Amino acid sequence: MDMAYGGGKPGLNLQNIRDVSLRLPSIEEQTEIVRRVDQLFAFADQIEQQVANAQARVDKLTQSILAKAFRGELTAEWRAANPDLISGENSAEALLERIKAEKANHKPIRARRSTAMERVTP
């Protein structure tokens, strides 16, 4: 039994475990810990909602800009006033690269060709 390990350790019994004392925080400290954790979870929920709202606004803005671009409504004046919306990761080149990458990831499923035997009706 020299190789014993885990819950079957020789000499360890329920009384040994009952004799172990654990120090717990006072009820007041436990209440404060729970209050702070709840507060942090509420804060995290608020941030999550703000991120979701911001993402929705960005998606709408992107769609709006694309619609205006396809309608030819993005004038030189607008482009001069909003260079950050049409450059870098928002540029036409970047958009085309994202579209190409998405197309590459979504390869169409080819229809299975029927064999000669399947084409022959009995």
Side-chain angles (χ1 to χ4, degrees), residues 13-22:
N13 58 41
L14 187 56
Q15 189 57 46
N16 294 132
I17 295 171
R18 285 184 179 147
D19 289 342
V20 174
S21 63
L22 298 174

Side-chain angles (χ1 to χ4, degrees), residues 57-113:
R57 285 193 305 272
V58 166
D59 291 343
K60 287 179 185 176
L61 178 62
T62 301
Q63 291 301 316
S64 175
I65 291 170
L66 287 173
K68 285 183 178 226
F70 286 117
R71 290 193 303 263
E73 296 175 7
L74 297 183
T75 62
E77 181 181 311
W78 184 92
R79 288 191 301 274
N82 299 285
D84 56 320
L85 297 177
I86 58 173
S87 62
E89 68 179 28
N90 296 320
S91 69
E93 293 85 11
L95 176 61
L96 288 174
E97 289 302 319
R98 286 194 301 267
I99 291 170
K100 287 178 185 177
E102 284 185 29
K103 278 188 175 181
N105 290 335
H106 291 55
K107 293 181 181 174
I109 299 172
R110 291 185 178 178
R112 187 176 72 87
R113 291 184 184 181

